[in-house]
Amino acid sequence: MNIGIDIDDTIANTYDVLFNYAQNYTINDIGKEIKNVDRNCITHMYCTEFHNWNQKEDKEFLEKYYEKTVLNVQPKMYAVENIKKLKENGDSIYLITARFLSDKFDVEKLTKEWLEKYKIPYDKLILNSQNKVIVAQENEIDIFIDDSIKNCTQMANAEIKTYMMDTIVNKDFENENIERVYSWPHLYQKIESYKETMK
């Protein structure tokens, strides 16, 4: 099967890294007060929404911390092992990420170096995916995994089998057409069970 997988907060522990940068930026760089941020976020722009940044502040944050984030995230526990198992089972892995291009550094180069560093196998890397449904349809994706409420909802509405990786920013979201998974072993188990039903 063709499996589409998001990178940040699905394969990588991006929240742990990016959110701490965001807290530091909010407190020490622009001097704003931190408010309660433990809530759902529809898009992947949780740092902007949670810290109530304006457009200028959001741009400044990304200029200072985007490259650092790409360099410093690590794979979630058991992500690499289970992606390898999917590849060994004959599945094709499409990494579909909203990581956008930057004039400060080569996002594609650093992302590929990160994937190589952690020996994450994949067949295709697709960056700057603003509409992941279109990308999934163009690449005939059978199964899609993401953490974003928006992306998962759109994918399920397009009748593509969708799994949502559980995170702090989507924990209260429910949709009968989206299966929530709590770890990579759990995800692997769900995918293999689903594949059995498709035989």
Side-chain angles (χ1 to χ4, degrees):
M1 287 193 167
N2 293 338
I3 302 179
I5 311 175
D6 174 48
I7 294 178
D8 294 299
D9 291 319
T10 302
I11 296 175
N13 68 336
T14 310
Y15 182 92
D16 297 338
V17 175
L18 190 63
F19 192 74
N20 278 287
Y21 283 148
Q23 294 268 290
N24 183 65
Y25 172 76
T26 302
I27 294 168
N28 295 315
D29 293 357
I30 60 177
K32 283 191 172 181
E33 184 179 346
I34 298 295
K35 298 180 180 178
N36 180 19
V37 295
D38 184 13
R39 59 185 174 85
N40 287 325
C41 181
I42 299 299
T43 72
H44 61 280
M45 301 299 291
Y46 48 78
C47 287
T48 301
E49 292 190 23
F50 288 173
H51 296 91
N52 196 30
W53 296 334
N54 59 39
Q55 192 172 19
K56 177 176 176 287
E57 291 164 343
D58 182 63
K59 183 181 178 192
E60 286 177 350
F61 172 76
L62 290 172
E63 286 178 351
K64 185 169 183 179
Y65 291 105
Y66 184 25
E67 182 176 7
K68 290 179 181 179
T69 301
V70 171
L71 287 169
N72 290 316
V73 294
Q74 296 180 357
K76 286 177 174 277
M77 189 175 289
Y78 301 119
V80 178
E81 296 91 331
N82 284 285
I83 293 172
K84 285 180 178 177
K85 285 202 295 187
L86 292 170
K87 275 295 293 172
E88 289 166 2
N89 293 345
D91 296 308
S92 296
I93 305 298
Y94 292 75
L95 302 181
I96 304 172
T97 176
R99 287 186 178 184
F100 52 90
L101 305 182
S102 170
D103 57 6
K104 302 290 183 184
F105 69 104
D106 189 331
V107 178
E108 182 175 6
K109 178 175 180 287
L110 287 192
T111 299
K112 286 182 174 179
E113 288 175 353
W114 184 85
L115 293 165
E116 176 64 26
K117 175 182 177 180
Y118 290 105
K119 296 180 171 39
I120 298 172
Y122 64 97
D123 295 276
K124 189 173 182 181
L125 171 64
I126 305 164
L127 295 164
N128 201 29
S129 300
Q130 299 307 310
N131 187 325
K132 293 190 177 184
V133 171
I134 292 174
V135 173
Q137 291 170 337
E138 288 175 346
N139 290 277
E140 301 181 334
I141 297 300
D142 302 298
I143 297 171
F144 178 76
I145 308 106
D146 205 314
D147 65 291
S148 164
I149 293 173
K150 175 184 174 184
N151 292 335
C152 287
T153 301
Q154 290 177 342
M155 208 67 66
N157 288 344
E159 299 184 348
I160 295 170
K161 181 61 178 175
T162 303
Y163 297 96
M164 174 179 280
M165 186 62 71
D166 183 72
T167 70
I168 193 171
V169 299
N170 67 32
K171 65 180 181 178
D172 297 324
F173 177 76
E174 293 182 11
N175 183 315
E176 63 181 8
N177 297 317
I178 299 169
E179 287 196 60
R180 181 177 294 273
V181 291
Y182 297 94
S183 66
W184 268 91
H186 186 212
L187 173 61
Y188 179 82
Q189 180 186 58
K190 285 285 189 179
I191 289 175
E192 291 304 302
S193 295
Y194 173 70
K195 285 157 63 175
E196 284 296 318
T197 69
M198 301 303 289
K199 289 182 178 178

